[in-house]
Amino acid sequence: MKKAESIILLIILVFLAIFPLIFSNPSTTSVAFFAVIFAVAAAGWNIFSGYTGYVSLGYAVFSGVGAYSLALICQKWNIAGGYTPFAFVLVAGLIAAVFALPVGWIILRTRRHVFVVVTVATLFIMQLLAYNLEGFTGGSAGITLPLPSWTGDFFNMPFYYGALILLVVAVSVSWLIRHSKFGLGLLAIREDEDRARSLGINTTMYKLIALMISAFFAGTVGAMISYFTSTVFPAEAFDPLFDIAVALMAFFGGVGTLAGPIIGALLLETLQQYMSLQFSTVGLDLILFGGLLLVVILLLPEGIVPSLFKLVSKMRASHESTPIPSSSAESTDSERLAVKEGKNG
Amino acid sequence: MILECEHVVAGYDGSDILKGLSFSLEKGTTTCIVGPNGAGKSTVLRVLSGLLKTRQGKVIFNGQSLAGRSTSQILSLGIVQVPQEHSLFPEMTVKENVRLGGYLLRDNALVNKRLQEVEELFPLVKERASERAVNLSGGQRRLIEFARALMLDPTLILLDEPSMGLDPKTLKQIFDSMKAMQEIGKTILLVEQNVRAGLSVATHGLVLESGKVRMEGSAQDVLHNPEIGSLYLGGTVK
């Protein structure tokens, strides 16, 4: 199944790479940019919350730090719009990762429901700080980022491919972690933290490292979105809806899996953007979106990827357990051999 | 002597369970601890694995004191415990579970070598490698726990009631596996409610009562002691 998941991911990435060449309409590529950047967010969220089981609803703390970091870098160093700010997106990610160290040191003293509540509280503390530290963040007026001078048709392309590069990095890091000793330790923490510790796993350090890696991607996402929209405000940078959306995307696709959060983000963000465009005037988009989520939770509680894999396993098992009629046993064996040879050949 | 406990006092929430316990283990032996409920059998294992700190007394393993050492440091010294309750990670595969047993090893080649050795001793590890642990039966889980315990190539293995909740057929498999571990030179300290079965697989017996050693000796001596027989074996052994 791991191999199948890797193949699915590869197909998705190839499709995303050629997508703007097929659908070049700016409104379509704008939706695609948000879908891809949210896929980065969901993959990053999954590295900490999916692998360790610590469900964070304060992921926007780090995306907000990334957004403000890029805005302040551009403002203080007079960086003009264009390709240069993209290089600082990585710096914004690193700042968010470093910021995760003291935050994690505090919030990771809690577990389960308390941890979820503490992450939400941290988010609102950050939002309040952003509103009140006016000299630093610009308060409610926010900070304006430089606007690239690209034409309307081309404008979305650098952002889209920038987001896609981040997605490739996020997928690669997720894959490497999942197949490493470190990843095995994180999964053990998710299953039973005390047992993991009794086997010699340094659970505190592992959780902190996973949070920092996760925060790096959140920081880059925040920076990319703020550069794309050319502004950063406290309410948008530290938005609780961002957290809920990212968590839902991961759960929708399959939390803790490689491909799940990415598939969830690509489907849900595209749908949300489409519905917002089509029905936002009457608020129908939110009703439809909420209804759809309820249906998915009822029918696929584990998410798309695990449910599909379970279905495939069941079908395989039922196929293998089908009794072979004794009279035709010989012919069935030869048919099987032919099929096997056909497959190999 | 591989392990020496001298006048150990330990317990929970202010009350002492072990009240000056002293005993020693020879290398390569299997010692079965028997005794009534509350005698401190499982507490001994918790002290040795570092899950419970001693209040008084000394625990010397291979010439080194265990005082103040963390569970992972004790693991590194070569003491592993298979707890009473099932301790596999249910959603992880059998192979992942076993590999986690060697988590403290830094050399990946050594982990693979140990895995291969463990697979030879417990063929189930290879047969069900990609199966999630949750799908295994109680006895199979216990065997995988034994396999996981061997990944660090420990000197001393602590087994806390390995037969609990298992049917007689599976029980035989579990005790056969313990014999296999004996044959490769492991020292085993076993706590077992099934006194007769535990002592029959052990070389030595240790009878605990109220946190102290009431009797120690060869497993056969303990098993055939009339007093022990009447107390713990229903008075059938004379």
Side-chain angles (χ1 to χ4, degrees):
Chain A
M1 289 304 174
K2 278 182 190 172
K3 201 177 171 185
E5 217 180 346
S6 302
I7 293 168
I8 291 169
L9 272 175
L10 203 65
I11 293 167
I12 290 171
L13 290 175
V14 170
F15 172 74
L16 290 176
I18 59 170
F19 182 83
L21 307 175
I22 305 165
F23 305 98
S24 57
N25 184 307
S27 57
T28 309
T29 50
S30 171
V31 171
F33 162 73
F34 277 105
V36 173
I37 204 69
F38 267 88
V40 178
W45 183 89
N46 192 51
I47 288 172
F48 173 70
S49 293
Y51 289 169
T52 66
Y54 276 70
V55 176
S56 166
L57 288 181
Y59 198 49
V61 166
F62 308 114
S63 65
V65 167
Y68 272 102
S69 298
L70 183 69
L72 287 166
I73 287 169
C74 291
Q75 191 188 51
K76 303 289 179 198
W77 294 350
N78 291 319
I79 293 166
Y83 291 103
T84 317
F86 284 119
F88 289 100
V89 164
L90 298 177
V91 178
L94 287 175
I95 292 169
V98 172
F99 187 76
L101 188 63
V103 172
W105 186 70
I106 297 166
I107 65 173
L108 288 171
R109 286 161 187 267
T110 60
R111 285 192 193 184
R112 303 171 201 273
H113 309 96
V114 181
F115 176 79
V116 179
V117 174
V118 169
T119 57
V120 176
T122 312
L123 173 72
F124 284 110
I125 290 169
M126 291 302 293
Q127 198 186 66
L128 278 172
L129 284 172
Y131 271 119
N132 291 293
L133 296 173
E134 282 182 31
F136 189 57
T137 62
S140 55
I143 303 173
T144 306
L145 281 93
L147 194 67
S149 55
W150 301 318
T151 58
D153 285 348
F154 179 72
F155 189 89
N156 293 339
M157 292 301 186
F159 288 100
Y160 178 84
Y161 281 105
L164 190 58
I165 289 167
L166 283 177
L167 182 61
V168 171
V169 175
V171 167
S172 307
V173 170
S174 294
W175 191 91
L176 285 171
I177 290 175
R178 180 65 187 84
H179 294 88
S180 70
K181 193 178 166 184
F182 173 61
L184 197 59
L186 295 180
L187 294 185
I189 291 171
R190 182 178 70 184
E191 297 264 317
D192 190 325
E193 192 168 344
D194 294 324
R195 265 181 223 165
R197 197 185 290 125
S198 74
L199 289 172
I201 298 167
N202 188 340
T203 54
T204 308
M205 193 179 76
Y206 273 40
K207 286 184 292 181
L208 208 50
I209 292 172
L211 183 70
M212 288 176 76
I213 297 170
S214 179
F216 169 80
F217 289 108
T220 59
V221 167
M224 284 291 276
I225 293 175
S226 66
Y227 185 36
F228 186 72
T229 56
S230 294
T231 50
V232 54
F233 298 108
E236 282 77 34
F238 300 104
D239 184 3
L241 287 177
F242 173 86
D243 287 317
I244 293 167
V246 172
L248 274 178
M249 286 163 185
F251 279 107
F252 179 64
V255 74
T257 61
L258 271 177
I262 291 153
I263 293 170
L266 292 174
L267 290 176
L268 285 188
E269 186 56 25
T270 308
L271 193 69
Q272 192 180 25
Q273 292 275 338
Y274 174 77
M275 284 185 173
S276 298
L277 286 171
Q278 295 296 317
F279 311 111
S280 63
T281 47
V282 286
L284 250 178
D285 58 324
L286 296 174
I287 297 169
L288 284 172
F289 197 56
L292 181 76
L293 281 174
L294 278 176
V295 170
V296 169
I297 288 165
L298 285 171
L299 298 177
L300 304 169
E302 287 179 69
I304 295 172
V305 171
S307 302
L308 278 178
F309 283 165
K310 268 192 178 171
L311 189 70
V312 172
S313 297
K314 262 187 190 174
M315 283 167 69
R316 268 187 192 168
S318 65
H319 180 74
E320 280 166 11
S321 63
T322 307
I324 303 161
S326 54
S327 58
S328 60
E330 205 177 309
S331 61
T332 313
D333 282 347
S334 52
E335 277 168 20
R336 276 183 181 169
L337 192 65
V339 170
K340 204 175 173 186
E341 281 171 355
K343 268 184 189 170
N344 293 339
Chain B
M1 291 296 166
I2 195 166
L3 180 90
E4 287 171 272
C5 290
E6 292 175 22
H7 313 295
V8 171
V9 177
Y12 313 92
D13 301 326
S15 65
D16 294 336
I17 304 294
L18 304 181
K19 298 164 183 170
L21 181 82
S22 298
F23 71 95
S24 54
L25 298 180
E26 280 177 46
K27 195 173 181 190
T29 56
T30 296
T31 305
C32 179
I33 305 180
V34 296
N37 285 336
K41 303 185 295 289
S42 295
T43 308
V44 176
L45 302 193
R46 288 180 67 83
V47 165
L48 296 180
S49 59
L51 292 168
L52 186 67
K53 302 290 170 207
T54 54
R55 290 176 182 150
Q56 283 175 44
K58 280 195 291 187
V59 182
I60 309 291
F61 176 70
N62 259 343
Q64 297 185 74
S65 171
L66 298 187
R69 292 187 193 263
S70 66
T71 47
S72 56
Q73 285 171 326
I74 289 174
L75 275 174
S76 305
L77 284 177
I79 301 177
V80 295
Q81 183 178 357
V82 178
Q84 190 177 341
E85 69 282 4
H86 285 299
S87 63
L88 293 183
F89 298 101
E91 295 301 321
M92 293 169 88
T93 65
V94 166
K95 195 175 181 178
E96 284 173 334
N97 266 289
V98 175
R99 283 189 83 93
L100 275 167
Y103 208 82
L104 287 173
L105 302 173
R106 287 167 188 268
D107 183 0
N108 210 28
L110 183 60
V111 174
N112 290 331
K113 184 178 165 276
R114 292 266 171 84
L115 186 64
Q116 217 172 349
E117 288 167 0
V118 160
E119 281 172 350
E120 279 169 26
L121 202 61
F122 297 95
L124 187 73
V125 174
K126 200 170 185 179
E127 286 163 20
R128 310 291 290 270
S130 54
E131 188 91 50
R132 287 190 309 157
V134 72
N135 295 333
L136 302 180
S137 69
Q140 287 172 331
R141 281 188 212 183
R142 195 55 94 195
L143 291 174
I144 300 301
E145 283 166 354
F146 284 1
R148 185 173 70 181
L150 289 177
M151 282 296 284
L152 283 177
D153 193 18
T155 319
L156 174 61
I157 302 170
L158 311 172
L159 302 176
D160 196 355
E161 299 196 25
S163 69
M164 205 169 87
L166 301 178
D167 60 82
K169 194 184 165 192
T170 317
L171 205 66
K172 190 183 174 301
Q173 270 187 308
I174 297 297
F175 283 107
D176 285 347
S177 305
M178 279 164 53
K179 282 176 190 160
M181 289 196 280
Q182 283 174 348
E183 280 164 15
I184 56 170
K186 301 297 171 197
T187 309
I188 300 171
L189 184 59
L190 163 75
V191 167
E192 187 53 64
Q193 283 285 0
N194 188 339
V195 177
R196 205 183 302 274
L199 286 170
S200 68
V201 80
T203 55
H204 293 73
L206 193 69
V207 183
L208 288 198
E209 200 173 83
S210 304
K212 286 184 177 175
V213 175
R214 176 164 173 172
M215 183 191 169
E216 60 184 317
S218 77
Q220 287 307 307
D221 286 348
V222 173
L223 187 62
H224 294 105
N225 183 291
E227 195 185 358
I228 301 303
S230 64
L231 279 171
Y232 307 121
L233 302 170
T236 52
V237 176
K238 296 286 177 195

